[in-house]
Amino acid sequence: MTSKFTGVDFYDLDSLLNEEERAVRDTVRAWVDEHIMPVIGEHYVEGKFPKQLIPGMAKLGLFGANLPEEYGCAGLNNVAYGLIMQELERGDSGLRSFASVQGALVMYPIFAFGSEQQKKEWLPKLASGEAIGCFGLTEPDFGSNPGGMITTAKETKDGWVLNGAKMWITNGSTAQVAIVWAKIGPLEDVNGIRGFIVPTKTKGFTAKDQKGKLSLRASDTSELVLQDVHVPKDALLPKSGGLKSPLSCLTQARYGIAWGAVGAAMACYDEAVSYAKTRVMFDKPIGGFQLQQARLAEMLTEITKAQLLCVQLGRLKDRGTMTPQQVSLAKRNNVSMATDIARETRRLLGANGILAEYQAMRHLANLESVYTYEGTHDIHTLILGQEITGLSAFN
C-alpha cells in the first residue's frame, strides 16, 4: 500500500499559490486521506457510491465552491476550486464526478441561467447537500452530438410537458433534482434547446441504475426516462437558450476534470514511488533499476507540466479570459497523461497492480471513462484543430 500522501511538487507549485489556495488544498487532502482512502477500494469492488461521505463534503463547502457566498457557497477562486477537484480525484474519479456534477452541471446552470427566485430556492440546498442534482443532456443516441437530442418540452397553459430519455447520467439515481435539456420547437432547431429544473419525484420521471460497469464503479450512473413529465412554467431556466447554454456548463465541468486528472496521476505516481522503494527483486529495491527510474522520471515530468497548465488556466478563468478551446486542450492533455501514468504504475506494480488494495488499476479503469465523457479525446482534438486552422472537421 502507498504511504501517507505528501504531494507532488517538484516545481515548487506552492510558490504559485496564495495562502487560501494552499489551505483549501491541504484541508481537502487531509479529508480525502482520512475518509476516502480507507473505504474507496471496498466501495469500488461492490459498485456502490459512498453516500456517507456527502455530509462531510458539504460541510467542507465542496459543492459549487466557486459560486458566490450569498447563495450559501464558499465563494472561492477558480484555482482553489481546481485544487478541490484535484484532491477529490486523487481519492477516486467517482468522488470528483459527484462534486463536479453537483457544482458545475447543476448549480452553475441555475446560477448562470436561472431567475433570482430559482437561485435562492435551489443553490443553498445544493450547497449544503440537502438536495443532490444531476444533469440530463446526453441521450442514448446523442453523445458527441448533443444538438441532435430528441427530448422535447411542449408548453401547456399551466407549464411544460417533457418527454424523452437521457443516458450516462452521474448522480441520476441519487438526485432530488435534475437539470434537463430539451427542445421546445422543431427537432432540427438547436436554438430551441432550453434548460428545466425538474424534481425527480415528479410523476413520469424515473431513474434506472446502469448495470455492468467496469469503470467508475464507485459512482452512481443512471438512465433517466421522462414520460409526460408535467412541470410548472417556472421550471424553465429563463436565460437558457440554444446549444451554447449546456455547452457552457460542460466547459465548467471540463475545467474541473483537467484538475481532477492531475489528482489521479498524483495518486498513481505516489504509489509507484513507494512501491519502487520497498519492493525487492534480485536482492535490491526495483527502484534501483533503470527501467523503473525511467518510468518515474516520465511520470514526474508529465504531472509537473499538467499542474502548471492547470494553474495558468485557473488564473485565466479568474480573469475572465479563459476560452473553451483552452479548456479542451487541458482536458485532452491531462486525462491522456493520467491514463498513461495509471497504466505504467499498474505495470510497475506487477501482479499486485490488479488488486483493489492498490490504486493504479482502479484509477486506470476510471480514467478510461473520463477519457470519453465531457467530450471525448477525439472531439477535443477536432475542437483544437478547428481553432488552429479555422476549418471545421465536424461536417
Side-chain angles (χ1 to χ4, degrees), residues 89-92 264 267-268 342 359-367:
E89 190 145 356
R90 185 174 64 83
D92 190 80
C268 292
Q359 303 179 68
M361 191 71 172
R362 172 170 54 83
H363 280 296
L364 177 56
N366 285 339
L367 286 163

Side-chain angles (χ1 to χ4, degrees), residues 258-273:
W259 279 96
V262 174
M266 291 166 69
C268 292
Y269 170 77
D270 183 62
E271 183 165 76
V273 171

Side-chain angles (χ1 to χ4, degrees), residues 88-219:
L88 288 178
E89 190 145 356
R90 185 174 64 83
D92 190 80
S93 295
L95 270 294
R96 196 269 309 145
S97 292
F98 181 90
S100 182
V101 168
Q102 182 84 341
L105 296 182
V106 179
M107 297 173 71
Y108 174 79
I110 294 174
F111 174 73
F113 307 121
S115 66
E116 191 61 28
Q117 180 180 351
Q118 288 170 331
K119 296 177 194 179
K120 289 181 177 178
E121 176 182 359
W122 285 106
L123 292 181
K125 293 179 183 177
L126 291 159
S128 68
E130 177 185 346
I132 301 303
C134 65
F135 180 82
L137 178 64
T138 298
E139 298 188 358
D141 295 318
F142 298 98
S144 294
N145 176 28
M149 72 172 65
I150 57 175
T151 297
T152 61
K154 302 297 184 183
E155 191 169 10
T156 67
K157 63 179 181 179
D158 59 351
W160 299 87
V161 178
L162 279 69
N163 280 282
K166 303 294 182 178
M167 194 71 175
W168 305 111
I169 307 303
T170 299
N171 301 353
S173 298
T174 305
Q176 287 79 49
V177 63
I179 303 298
V180 176
W181 299 92
K183 289 178 176 174
I184 64 172
L187 288 180
E188 63 271 16
D189 183 14
V190 297
N191 292 320
I193 295 174
R194 306 295 294 275
F196 295 85
I197 302 175
V198 183
T200 58
K201 65 180 179 181
T202 306
K203 183 179 179 181
F205 184 103
T206 57
K208 181 174 67 174
D209 286 340
Q210 180 67 48
K211 301 296 185 182
K213 291 189 301 177
L214 298 177
S215 174
L216 288 176
R217 289 184 53 77
S219 180

